[in-house]
């Protein structure tokens, strides 16, 4: 007996996940929800959805789908809506899969408040929450977690992660599409209220791609942070004053005694790098993506070059065939092939009533490292320090 899932948000990113959730063998029924009716129609008219979708399960508002009898909701809406919608869904008795980040807002204090509410709502309602953090299921991360479980790293010494993504390399177009939707036009008005109060965000308010790899491998959380922000002359032109800095570098003291360096850069002269390296007393890992060389495992004997296939964890055969196809050459999808793993982890957790790997407690630790007070100064650099306290 499978579960029923409502898919909320069928834009560019939500559409990439819609078929994966529909095709999972443990999903019996899907609903479709979007404020833009043409997005629903595209899937409603697709014959391949007819086995699990009924026209009566099309919804034009989040309020409407909350009233329906789905076991879980997959929320892939605009990032400033994620936390509020997740809390409302859990309070309505539905398990939640949320796209990253937990929430994206200019105000760091507000981000932490929503992190608290996510955890409190999970604890109070008994509903499951999973963050769809793609780096967690990149092949490199899965491989490093296996090696860490074997003790191959020894004691962790240092980790570094980065998300280098120049705003001119696709991000400006992403922002344009977001703000052209109904929800986006509403956000323009809300965003102005933050700017009027002098509150600006920054790239470290969306840190999960760069921190989740090292943190999940080391099973450690951040206790102290110092962070520097940098901006070039004319940066106001890039984000219309919404962000204090395009580039931020942070140094963390971790709960296991290791040091972690994280870079979130949006003005840098290369297409994209979304990866990490981890160093231990016995072994070390160097991660590569499509633009950066080879993945390597190092120890005192030398190094081994690793293929993507040998780094991946296996999916159950039935799931792999349904979501990817036959053979190892199947299409795993974007973000390092993480999408089918995210879908399977959430569905399997709901079916078997267990906490998913990226549960609420894990997710908010990835977000909490993002917290800084970002203030606009006349200087081009700012040093921000804060102790990240456990609650």
């Amino acid at each position: 007996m499978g579960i029923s899932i409502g898919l909320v948000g069928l834009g560019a990113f939500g559409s990439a996940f819609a078929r994966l959730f529909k095709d999972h063998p443990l999903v019996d029924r899907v609903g479709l929800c979007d404020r833009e009716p043409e997005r629903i129609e595209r899937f409603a008219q697709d014959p391949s959805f007819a086995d699990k979708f009924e026209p009566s399960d099309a919804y034009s508002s989040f309020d409407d789908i909350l009233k329906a009898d789905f076991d879980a909701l997959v929320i892939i809406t605009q990032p400033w809506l994620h936390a509020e919608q997740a809390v409302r869904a859990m309070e309505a008795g539905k398990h939640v899969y949320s796209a990253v980040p937990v929430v994206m807002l200019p105000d760091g204090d507000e981000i932490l408040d929503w992190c608290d509410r996510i955890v409190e709502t999970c604890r109070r309602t008994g509903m499951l929450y999973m963050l769809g953090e793609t780096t967690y299921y990149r092949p490199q991360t899965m491989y490093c977690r296996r090696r860490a479980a074997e003790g191959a790293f020894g004691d962790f010494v240092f980790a570094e992660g980065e998300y280098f993504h120049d705003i001119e390399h696709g991000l400006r177009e992403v922002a344009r599409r977001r703000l052209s939707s109904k929800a986006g036009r509403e956000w323009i008005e809300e965003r102005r209220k933050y700017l009027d109060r002098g509150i600006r965000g920054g790239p470290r308010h969306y840190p999960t791609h760069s921190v989740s790899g090292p943190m999940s491998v080391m099973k450690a959380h951040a206790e102290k942070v110092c962070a520097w922000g940098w901006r070039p002359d004319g940066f106001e032109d890039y984000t219309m004053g919404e962000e204090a800095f395009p580039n931020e570098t942070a140094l963390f003291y971790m709960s296991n005694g290791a040091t972690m360096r994280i870079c979130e850069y949006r003005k840098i002269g290369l297409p994209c790098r979304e990866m990490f390296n981890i160093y231990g007393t016995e072994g070390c890992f160097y991660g590569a993506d499509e633009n950066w060389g080879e993945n390597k495992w190092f120890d005192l004997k030398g190094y081994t070059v690793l293929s993507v296939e040998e780094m991946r964890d296996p999916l159950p055969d039935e799931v792999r065939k349904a979501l990817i196809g036959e053979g190892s050459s199947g299409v795993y999808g974007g973000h390092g092939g993480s999408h089918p793993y995210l879908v399977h982890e959430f569905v399997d957790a709901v079916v078997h009533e267990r906490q998913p790997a990226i549960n609420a407690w894990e997710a908010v630790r990835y977000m909490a490292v993002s917290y800084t007070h970002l203030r606009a100064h006349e200087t081009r650099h700012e040093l921000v320090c804060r102790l990240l306290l456990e609650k």
Side-chain angles (χ1 to χ4, degrees):
M1 184 68 179
I3 62 171
S4 58
I5 287 184
L7 307 175
V8 185
L10 298 170
F13 197 50
S15 295
F17 279 86
R19 189 173 303 280
L20 289 172
F21 276 105
K22 197 280 295 184
D23 285 345
H24 195 286
L26 292 177
V27 172
D28 290 342
R29 169 188 166 212
V30 298
L32 303 173
C33 177
D34 201 286
R35 296 175 66 182
E36 317 280 347
E38 64 276 8
R39 294 177 178 177
I40 295 177
E41 193 66 16
R42 178 157 46 100
F43 291 101
Q45 297 300 320
D46 186 338
S48 68
F49 269 70
D51 59 334
K52 297 183 182 180
F53 169 75
E54 296 288 342
S56 59
D57 276 333
Y59 304 89
S60 60
S61 75
F62 190 68
D63 289 339
D64 288 341
I65 202 168
L66 279 184
K67 300 172 187 175
D69 60 343
F70 292 102
D71 298 312
L73 294 185
V74 173
I75 297 173
I76 310 183
T77 55
Q78 302 295 7
W80 52 87
L81 299 173
H82 290 171
E84 179 186 7
Q85 291 179 337
V87 166
R88 291 180 62 198
M90 287 187 284
E91 289 178 337
K94 292 164 174 53
H95 304 297
V96 169
Y97 173 100
S98 171
V100 286
V102 173
V103 68
M104 189 165 71
L105 296 167
D107 191 332
D109 286 321
E110 196 174 346
I111 289 173
L112 289 184
D113 288 343
W114 277 114
C115 286
D116 279 343
R117 287 189 64 182
I118 291 285
V119 170
E120 187 276 330
T121 306
C122 281
R123 186 178 286 127
R124 172 169 47 84
T125 64
M127 295 294 105
L128 302 177
Y129 171 95
M130 175 173 160
L131 184 69
E133 175 43 57
T134 54
T135 298
Y136 191 95
Y137 284 111
R138 281 185 176 270
Q140 294 87 350
T141 319
M142 292 189 279
Y143 173 81
C144 284
R145 280 198 295 271
R146 293 200 305 271
R147 298 311 305 264
E150 299 167 0
F153 282 97
D155 293 327
F156 290 106
V157 177
F158 176 67
E160 54 190 351
E162 56 260 349
Y163 187 24
F164 296 154
H165 196 163
D166 193 277
I167 195 169
E168 302 299 344
H169 190 69
L171 289 182
R172 193 184 294 279
E173 176 59 21
V174 169
R176 186 197 66 78
R177 289 199 306 267
R178 283 177 175 169
L179 296 179
S180 66
S181 68
K182 291 180 181 178
R185 292 192 293 273
E186 292 169 356
W187 172 244
I188 291 173
E189 296 302 315
E190 288 298 314
R191 182 181 63 182
R192 186 172 292 116
K193 297 176 183 177
Y194 290 99
L195 297 178
D196 289 345
R197 290 159 51 203
I199 296 176
R200 303 189 192 186
R204 283 190 60 242
H205 279 188
Y206 184 172
T208 56
H209 288 330
S210 54
V211 304
S212 60
M215 288 177 68
S216 73
V217 172
M218 296 191 295
K219 294 185 178 180
H221 59 272
E223 293 188 346
K224 297 179 183 180
V225 56
C226 59
W228 292 261
W230 175 87
R231 62 174 175 264
D233 292 330
F235 179 62
E236 299 288 333
D237 297 337
Y238 299 131
T239 63
M240 299 170 288
E242 184 177 2
E243 294 190 349
F245 305 104
N247 294 358
E248 292 179 295
T249 305
L251 195 65
F252 299 90
Y253 175 77
M254 304 300 289
S255 59
N256 63 351
T259 300
M260 180 173 74
R261 176 191 58 80
I262 296 293
C263 298
E264 288 280 346
Y265 293 175
R266 302 297 178 265
K267 280 307 298 176
I268 188 166
L270 52 84
C272 189
R273 173 169 163 83
E274 185 180 331
M275 194 42 62
F276 60 85
N277 307 318
I278 301 176
Y279 303 87
T281 56
E282 302 296 329
C284 305
F285 175 80
Y286 173 83
D289 60 18
E290 306 83 58
N291 305 308
W292 289 72
E294 300 173 313
N295 297 284
K296 294 179 180 180
W297 172 262
F298 293 84
D299 57 29
L300 296 178
K301 300 175 184 177
Y303 71 87
T304 303
V305 175
L306 304 165
S307 70
V308 167
E309 287 304 322
E310 69 183 297
M311 288 190 294
R312 281 195 178 109
D313 289 341
L315 283 166
D317 283 345
E318 184 181 16
V319 174
R320 180 181 54 78
K321 291 175 182 177
L323 304 190
I324 299 168
E326 295 286 351
S328 61
S329 61
V331 179
Y332 281 77
H335 293 92
S338 61
H339 295 186
Y341 289 89
L342 289 165
V343 169
H344 175 62
E345 174 62 15
F346 179 67
V347 172
D348 188 75
V350 173
V351 169
H352 294 102
E353 300 179 343
R354 63 171 176 82
Q355 285 292 338
I358 320 171
N359 55 57
W361 291 264
E362 187 81 357
V364 301
R365 278 182 165 164
Y366 299 160
M367 284 301 298
V369 301
S370 73
Y371 181 85
T372 51
H373 283 296
L374 294 176
R375 296 174 297 275
H377 291 309
E378 293 182 2
T379 59
R380 292 172 59 183
H381 295 76
E382 177 185 27
L383 172 64
V384 183
C385 294
R386 172 178 164 86
L387 179 64
L388 298 174
L389 297 175
E390 289 268 30
K391 293 194 175 183

